[in-house]
Amino acid sequence: MPNTKTVVPYSGTPEQEAQLKAVIAEYKDVPGGTMPVMQQAQEIFGYLPEEVQIMIAEGMGIPLEEVYGISTFYSLYNLNPKGRYKITVCLGTACYVKGSQAILDKIVARLGCPVGSISKDGKYSVDATRCVGACGLAPVMMVNDDVYGRMTPDQVDDVLAKYK
Amino acid sequence: MDTVKLTINGIEVEAPAGSTIIQAANLAGIKIPSLCYLKDLNEIGACRICMVEVKGAKGLVASCVYPVNEGMEVWTNTQKVRDARKMTLELLLSNHRMECLTCRRSGTCELQDLAHDFGIDKVRFQTEKMEPQIEDSALHLVRDNSKCVLCRRCVAACAAQGVGVIGCNERGFQTEIGSPFGRGLVETACISCGQCIVNCPTGALTERDDTGKVWAALADETKHVVIATAPSVRAGLGECFGMPIGTNVEGKMVAAMRRMGFDGVFDVDTAADFTIIEEGTELLERIKNGGVLPLITSCSPGWIRYAEQYHPDFLPNISSCKSPQGMFGGLMKTYYAEKMGIDPKDMVVVSVMPCTAKKYEIKRPDMQGAPGYQDIDISITTRELGEMIKRSGLNFTALPDEAFDPIFGIASGAADIFGASGGVMEAALRTVSSILAGEENAPLEFHEVRGLESVKEATYELPGKTVRVAVVSGTKNAGALLDAVRAGEKEYDFIEVMCCPGGCINGGGQPYVPAEIKNFVDYRSLRAKALYDEDAGKELRKSHHNPIVQEVYAEYLGEWGGEKAHHILHTTYQAQPKYRL
């Protein structure tokens, strides 16, 4: 599950934290202000680690659990940063029927980090995604902007080897 | 009051405008089953058990949140309604780990009752079999989400305490009750109040079962095992045996514990009288010497834990007195051990508390009146005592009324009322005003601080000092009051804080009151009345008149608030982080 605490240490800068404070000040008294704050916090930090969620909770005067509950309810909030190599496997209909789940399983097994998380060294992150618009190449995986089509589980190691 | 007329099942009902259908039905003597609904606390229409038919409405409506209207026609018991409720129940049960025979809540489970009432004789839907999902990182609580129905009553209770360390995480089938980032409760700023437990309808939340340790101690012939009960236990325990809410069962409770084989059966109320002596002395000293005011009471470990984590700037205001439980344990391992010639290492001191935070309190580092020995060895709840009595094969309701062992079993009425919000304040005022104004001029009863209001205020003119007091229960209310004090909006000399709303009579360790009763019966007032009645019926109504108090100070402790008393009866506090990254 993506709700596991990230293994990558928090590395927010004072500038980022100041930016977040300004956002919180803007939304503190706005009804329903928590979600826009979370959204902008994610734009600032790239994801919503515990440290950032605590800043939001304290700033908005609400329990941390409320922020965390929202962050795990909506799939667009990320609790983990993205890796240097952002690996996504399409689980859209066409890719799925062509066996993309097996590709994803193989990647997860190779990198040892579950879907939605990041490897310990911060190098790889793994996500499942909906249709990437390359159904003709199904099943498809992407590493950053590189697209790999007609994948088989056997080819996973070769693809990963290109990204060291 | 504006009212509206409606009919429910053809019966004409007049209900206050703004009430919900379930409330109006109750007025007409019609019971609508419910599960997630807790009046004023959890009104979210989530579980869909309370569905009813309303003429003209689209589909069935949730009666716990649907407001009544003039001329409304409601049907609560049609085939359509019964079928819908049954289907909802079957779906709730489809992923419930049904192990009723071995579940601690068997017999007090609201889901079990509903399944029984609706004649669920088989489970038609089977989803993934749930395995136990045990979270038992905290000293006071065990959570098993495989028995959770996601009613959110615990979440609402936690939020209402101003704590909010549990909530719903994930979504859809993955939704589960938990704490941020999958942390165990012990890593959160939980205050151990147990309001989540006492509001849980199923076996998903229970207190940590410490009865096994008590049985083991009783079976160990080398141990001298004593037990004592907090004030509120006698006002609640009867409910475990089907007695009416508010029955004072002190005599039968004592008889039961004696028959279970304890070597001493004592009263924590006696220790509460010591608390008043020490806390009263502290108040008078702080007033006289310009100490930190307002003084805030320290009897409630949930409140202490709340203060340490959420309002640490007020720690210097909190009385250094241990809670009555701590004072009892401290005196047992010192005064009593010496008097009886028993080595404290051969003693097991058990407390029975209406409280789950007491399980945590006994492990606090500065709770050792006899150095090296925990004051209290085992703390069990009112419910756990009820379980133990049943297991002992005692016919509780038929037991005779017996008295506590006299060596530590005489208490003033002032101590009895500790269990109700305002009780500690009243008890302290009785003694403090007696000292300042003289026995004859001091009032016996302070009605301004009684009752269930979340905040009560009063001002008393005493010789040489106007004492401004506040009584607050529920930590969220306490937090708001402290914010006002911090901002200079309110000024007091003495504040009583109880963690649980209404005080210990409504503690997290008290017997379960099913929502169908809780929503419509003022059970807290009934329990409190049992204590106020006990007080009113006593000759001995002031703590400093207690002959045991007088004897122990004269023979053993020395001065009120003196060095030895401080050593055994006082403690310290430490600011604690709200987040543990």
PDB file of all heavy atoms in Angstrom, chain A residues 4 10 13 15 23 34 40 47 52 55 73 86 91 96 107 109-110 129 156 161:
ATOM      1  N   THR A   4       2.442   3.447   3.395  1.00  0.00           N
ATOM      2  CA  THR A   4       3.577   3.188   4.272  1.00  0.00           C
ATOM      3  C   THR A   4       4.467   4.416   4.332  1.00  0.00           C
ATOM      4  O   THR A   4       4.584   5.173   3.382  1.00  0.00           O
ATOM      5  CB  THR A   4       4.417   2.012   3.747  1.00  0.00           C
ATOM      6  OG1 THR A   4       4.574   2.191   2.348  1.00  0.00           O
ATOM      7  CG2 THR A   4       3.740   0.690   4.009  1.00  0.00           C
ATOM      8  N   TYR A  10      13.329  12.989   4.897  1.00  0.00           N
ATOM      9  CA  TYR A  10      12.744  14.278   4.526  1.00  0.00           C
ATOM     10  C   TYR A  10      13.855  15.274   4.221  1.00  0.00           C
ATOM     11  O   TYR A  10      14.844  15.356   4.951  1.00  0.00           O
ATOM     12  CB  TYR A  10      11.888  14.774   5.687  1.00  0.00           C
ATOM     13  CG  TYR A  10      11.410  16.191   5.567  1.00  0.00           C
ATOM     14  CD1 TYR A  10      10.468  16.540   4.595  1.00  0.00           C
ATOM     15  CD2 TYR A  10      11.872  17.179   6.429  1.00  0.00           C
ATOM     16  CE1 TYR A  10      10.010  17.842   4.488  1.00  0.00           C
ATOM     17  CE2 TYR A  10      11.420  18.483   6.333  1.00  0.00           C
ATOM     18  CZ  TYR A  10      10.492  18.815   5.354  1.00  0.00           C
ATOM     19  OH  TYR A  10      10.053  20.096   5.265  1.00  0.00           O
ATOM     20  N   THR A  13      13.414  22.228   2.306  1.00  0.00           N
ATOM     21  CA  THR A  13      14.288  23.383   2.567  1.00  0.00           C
ATOM     22  C   THR A  13      13.498  24.459   3.311  1.00  0.00           C
ATOM     23  O   THR A  13      12.263  24.468   3.271  1.00  0.00           O
ATOM     24  CB  THR A  13      14.790  23.986   1.241  1.00  0.00           C
ATOM     25  OG1 THR A  13      13.639  24.481   0.521  1.00  0.00           O
ATOM     26  CG2 THR A  13      15.498  22.937   0.396  1.00  0.00           C
ATOM     27  N   GLU A  15      13.111  27.423   2.435  1.00  0.00           N
ATOM     28  CA  GLU A  15      12.329  28.174   1.444  1.00  0.00           C
ATOM     29  C   GLU A  15      10.988  27.488   1.191  1.00  0.00           C
ATOM     30  O   GLU A  15       9.943  28.116   1.126  1.00  0.00           O
ATOM     31  CB  GLU A  15      13.098  28.286   0.108  1.00  0.00           C
ATOM     32  CG  GLU A  15      14.332  29.179   0.134  1.00  0.00           C
ATOM     33  CD  GLU A  15      15.502  28.552   0.870  1.00  0.00           C
ATOM     34  OE1 GLU A  15      15.608  27.303   0.870  1.00  0.00           O
ATOM     35  OE2 GLU A  15      16.303  29.308   1.461  1.00  0.00           O
ATOM     36  N   VAL A  23       0.956  29.619   2.175  1.00  0.00           N
ATOM     37  CA  VAL A  23      -0.262  28.976   1.673  1.00  0.00           C
ATOM     38  C   VAL A  23      -1.235  28.736   2.834  1.00  0.00           C
ATOM     39  O   VAL A  23      -2.439  28.994   2.727  1.00  0.00           O
ATOM     40  CB  VAL A  23       0.080  27.638   0.980  1.00  0.00           C
ATOM     41  CG1 VAL A  23      -1.193  26.891   0.607  1.00  0.00           C
ATOM     42  CG2 VAL A  23       0.939  27.890  -0.248  1.00  0.00           C
ATOM     43  N   THR A  34      -8.374  22.762   3.877  1.00  0.00           N
ATOM     44  CA  THR A  34      -7.296  21.791   4.071  1.00  0.00           C
ATOM     45  C   THR A  34      -6.838  21.158   2.757  1.00  0.00           C
ATOM     46  O   THR A  34      -5.637  21.039   2.503  1.00  0.00           O
ATOM     47  CB  THR A  34      -7.745  20.690   5.043  1.00  0.00           C
ATOM     48  OG1 THR A  34      -8.184  21.315   6.249  1.00  0.00           O
ATOM     49  CG2 THR A  34      -6.608  19.735   5.358  1.00  0.00           C
ATOM     50  N   GLN A  40      -1.347  22.238  -2.700  1.00  0.00           N
ATOM     51  CA  GLN A  40      -0.222  23.141  -2.956  1.00  0.00           C
ATOM     52  C   GLN A  40       1.036  22.668  -2.248  1.00  0.00           C
ATOM     53  O   GLN A  40       2.141  22.854  -2.751  1.00  0.00           O
ATOM     54  CB  GLN A  40      -0.593  24.569  -2.532  1.00  0.00           C
ATOM     55  CG  GLN A  40      -1.735  25.111  -3.398  1.00  0.00           C
ATOM     56  CD  GLN A  40      -1.857  26.623  -3.315  1.00  0.00           C
ATOM     57  OE1 GLN A  40      -0.874  27.324  -3.132  1.00  0.00           O
ATOM     58  NE2 GLN A  40      -3.085  27.107  -3.440  1.00  0.00           N
ATOM     59  N   TYR A  47       5.601  15.788  -2.714  1.00  0.00           N
ATOM     60  CA  TYR A  47       4.838  14.729  -2.051  1.00  0.00           C
ATOM     61  C   TYR A  47       4.484  15.216  -0.654  1.00  0.00           C
ATOM     62  O   TYR A  47       4.831  16.349  -0.280  1.00  0.00           O
ATOM     63  CB  TYR A  47       5.632  13.428  -2.029  1.00  0.00           C
ATOM     64  CG  TYR A  47       6.861  13.442  -1.142  1.00  0.00           C
ATOM     65  CD1 TYR A  47       6.968  12.567  -0.057  1.00  0.00           C
ATOM     66  CD2 TYR A  47       7.924  14.315  -1.379  1.00  0.00           C
ATOM     67  CE1 TYR A  47       8.088  12.573   0.753  1.00  0.00           C
ATOM     68  CE2 TYR A  47       9.044  14.329  -0.571  1.00  0.00           C
ATOM     69  CZ  TYR A  47       9.123  13.452   0.492  1.00  0.00           C
ATOM     70  OH  TYR A  47      10.215  13.461   1.292  1.00  0.00           O
ATOM     71  N   VAL A  52       5.676  17.198   6.494  1.00  0.00           N
ATOM     72  CA  VAL A  52       4.855  18.229   5.844  1.00  0.00           C
ATOM     73  C   VAL A  52       3.418  18.160   6.359  1.00  0.00           C
ATOM     74  O   VAL A  52       2.778  19.180   6.620  1.00  0.00           O
ATOM     75  CB  VAL A  52       4.913  18.060   4.310  1.00  0.00           C
ATOM     76  CG1 VAL A  52       3.894  18.959   3.627  1.00  0.00           C
ATOM     77  CG2 VAL A  52       6.320  18.342   3.801  1.00  0.00           C
ATOM     78  N   MET A  55       3.160  19.920   9.581  1.00  0.00           N
ATOM     79  CA  MET A  55       3.116  21.381   9.390  1.00  0.00           C
ATOM     80  C   MET A  55       1.713  21.829   8.993  1.00  0.00           C
ATOM     81  O   MET A  55       1.216  22.850   9.472  1.00  0.00           O
ATOM     82  CB  MET A  55       4.103  21.801   8.297  1.00  0.00           C
ATOM     83  CG  MET A  55       5.560  21.748   8.702  1.00  0.00           C
ATOM     84  SD  MET A  55       6.562  22.258   7.268  1.00  0.00           S
ATOM     85  CE  MET A  55       7.755  20.958   7.214  1.00  0.00           C
ATOM     86  N   PHE A  73      -7.110   8.882   1.231  1.00  0.00           N
ATOM     87  CA  PHE A  73      -8.398   8.674   0.556  1.00  0.00           C
ATOM     88  C   PHE A  73      -8.270   9.005  -0.931  1.00  0.00           C
ATOM     89  O   PHE A  73      -8.744   8.269  -1.785  1.00  0.00           O
ATOM     90  CB  PHE A  73      -9.465   9.549   1.203  1.00  0.00           C
ATOM     91  CG  PHE A  73     -10.849   9.321   0.672  1.00  0.00           C
ATOM     92  CD1 PHE A  73     -11.672   8.367   1.248  1.00  0.00           C
ATOM     93  CD2 PHE A  73     -11.329  10.045  -0.410  1.00  0.00           C
ATOM     94  CE1 PHE A  73     -12.954   8.146   0.752  1.00  0.00           C
ATOM     95  CE2 PHE A  73     -12.597   9.823  -0.909  1.00  0.00           C
ATOM     96  CZ  PHE A  73     -13.421   8.866  -0.323  1.00  0.00           C
ATOM     97  N   LYS A  86      11.366   7.348 -12.657  1.00  0.00           N
ATOM     98  CA  LYS A  86       9.974   7.172 -12.303  1.00  0.00           C
ATOM     99  C   LYS A  86       9.391   6.098 -13.218  1.00  0.00           C
ATOM    100  O   LYS A  86       9.193   6.330 -14.410  1.00  0.00           O
ATOM    101  CB  LYS A  86       9.247   8.506 -12.492  1.00  0.00           C
ATOM    102  CG  LYS A  86       7.841   8.510 -12.010  1.00  0.00           C
ATOM    103  CD  LYS A  86       7.175   9.868 -12.258  1.00  0.00           C
ATOM    104  CE  LYS A  86       5.689   9.696 -12.007  1.00  0.00           C
ATOM    105  NZ  LYS A  86       4.874  10.596 -12.799  1.00  0.00           N
ATOM    106  N   LEU A  91      -1.955   0.050 -16.347  1.00  0.00           N
ATOM    107  CA  LEU A  91      -2.934  -0.992 -16.033  1.00  0.00           C
ATOM    108  C   LEU A  91      -4.277  -0.669 -16.690  1.00  0.00           C
ATOM    109  O   LEU A  91      -5.324  -1.108 -16.239  1.00  0.00           O
ATOM    110  CB  LEU A  91      -3.101  -1.139 -14.518  1.00  0.00           C
ATOM    111  CG  LEU A  91      -1.921  -1.741 -13.733  1.00  0.00           C
ATOM    112  CD1 LEU A  91      -2.309  -1.931 -12.272  1.00  0.00           C
ATOM    113  CD2 LEU A  91      -1.455  -3.063 -14.314  1.00  0.00           C
ATOM    114  N   TYR A  96      -3.778  -4.195 -19.578  1.00  0.00           N
ATOM    115  CA  TYR A  96      -4.081  -5.177 -18.537  1.00  0.00           C
ATOM    116  C   TYR A  96      -4.403  -6.545 -19.150  1.00  0.00           C
ATOM    117  O   TYR A  96      -3.874  -7.572 -18.709  1.00  0.00           O
ATOM    118  CB  TYR A  96      -5.244  -4.690 -17.670  1.00  0.00           C
ATOM    119  CG  TYR A  96      -5.481  -5.568 -16.467  1.00  0.00           C
ATOM    120  CD1 TYR A  96      -4.662  -5.441 -15.347  1.00  0.00           C
ATOM    121  CD2 TYR A  96      -6.489  -6.528 -16.460  1.00  0.00           C
ATOM    122  CE1 TYR A  96      -4.846  -6.255 -14.235  1.00  0.00           C
ATOM    123  CE2 TYR A  96      -6.677  -7.345 -15.365  1.00  0.00           C
ATOM    124  CZ  TYR A  96      -5.865  -7.201 -14.249  1.00  0.00           C
ATOM    125  OH  TYR A  96      -6.042  -8.004 -13.165  1.00  0.00           O
ATOM    126  N   ILE A 107       8.553  -6.025 -11.680  1.00  0.00           N
ATOM    127  CA  ILE A 107       9.316  -4.822 -11.304  1.00  0.00           C
ATOM    128  C   ILE A 107       9.350  -4.675  -9.781  1.00  0.00           C
ATOM    129  O   ILE A 107      10.396  -4.417  -9.183  1.00  0.00           O
ATOM    130  CB  ILE A 107       8.697  -3.561 -11.960  1.00  0.00           C
ATOM    131  CG1 ILE A 107       8.845  -3.650 -13.481  1.00  0.00           C
ATOM    132  CG2 ILE A 107       9.335  -2.292 -11.421  1.00  0.00           C
ATOM    133  CD1 ILE A 107       8.055  -2.613 -14.245  1.00  0.00           C
ATOM    134  N   ALA A 109       9.023  -6.977  -7.607  1.00  0.00           N
ATOM    135  CA  ALA A 109       9.873  -8.027  -7.030  1.00  0.00           C
ATOM    136  C   ALA A 109      11.352  -7.679  -7.191  1.00  0.00           C
ATOM    137  O   ALA A 109      12.156  -7.844  -6.274  1.00  0.00           O
ATOM    138  CB  ALA A 109       9.564  -9.369  -7.699  1.00  0.00           C
ATOM    139  N   ARG A 110      11.715  -7.149  -8.369  1.00  0.00           N
ATOM    140  CA  ARG A 110      13.116  -6.816  -8.635  1.00  0.00           C
ATOM    141  C   ARG A 110      13.615  -5.681  -7.741  1.00  0.00           C
ATOM    142  O   ARG A 110      14.701  -5.721  -7.203  1.00  0.00           O
ATOM    143  CB  ARG A 110      13.285  -6.385 -10.099  1.00  0.00           C
ATOM    144  CG  ARG A 110      13.496  -7.545 -11.038  1.00  0.00           C
ATOM    145  CD  ARG A 110      14.910  -8.131 -10.875  1.00  0.00           C
ATOM    146  NE  ARG A 110      15.063  -9.332 -11.711  1.00  0.00           N
ATOM    147  CZ  ARG A 110      14.758 -10.551 -11.317  1.00  0.00           C
ATOM    148  NH1 ARG A 110      14.287 -10.762 -10.092  1.00  0.00           N
ATOM    149  NH2 ARG A 110      14.917 -11.585 -12.123  1.00  0.00           N
ATOM    150  N   THR A 129      -0.425   3.007 -13.496  1.00  0.00           N
ATOM    151  CA  THR A 129      -1.129   4.156 -14.064  1.00  0.00           C
ATOM    152  C   THR A 129      -2.262   3.684 -14.967  1.00  0.00           C
ATOM    153  O   THR A 129      -2.331   2.510 -15.334  1.00  0.00           O
ATOM    154  CB  THR A 129      -0.149   5.057 -14.845  1.00  0.00           C
ATOM    155  OG1 THR A 129      -0.871   6.149 -15.393  1.00  0.00           O
ATOM    156  CG2 THR A 129       0.530   4.297 -15.965  1.00  0.00           C
ATOM    157  N   VAL A 156      11.985  -7.191 -18.417  1.00  0.00           N
ATOM    158  CA  VAL A 156      12.045  -6.190 -17.356  1.00  0.00           C
ATOM    159  C   VAL A 156      13.481  -5.923 -16.928  1.00  0.00           C
ATOM    160  O   VAL A 156      13.905  -4.769 -16.815  1.00  0.00           O
ATOM    161  CB  VAL A 156      11.171  -6.621 -16.153  1.00  0.00           C
ATOM    162  CG1 VAL A 156      11.531  -5.816 -14.909  1.00  0.00           C
ATOM    163  CG2 VAL A 156       9.692  -6.457 -16.482  1.00  0.00           C
ATOM    164  N   ALA A 161      18.140  -2.367 -16.422  1.00  0.00           N
ATOM    165  CA  ALA A 161      19.600  -2.271 -16.490  1.00  0.00           C
ATOM    166  C   ALA A 161      20.061  -0.971 -17.150  1.00  0.00           C
ATOM    167  O   ALA A 161      21.180  -0.520 -16.933  1.00  0.00           O
ATOM    168  CB  ALA A 161      20.152  -3.481 -17.246  1.00  0.00           C
TER     169      ALA A 161
END
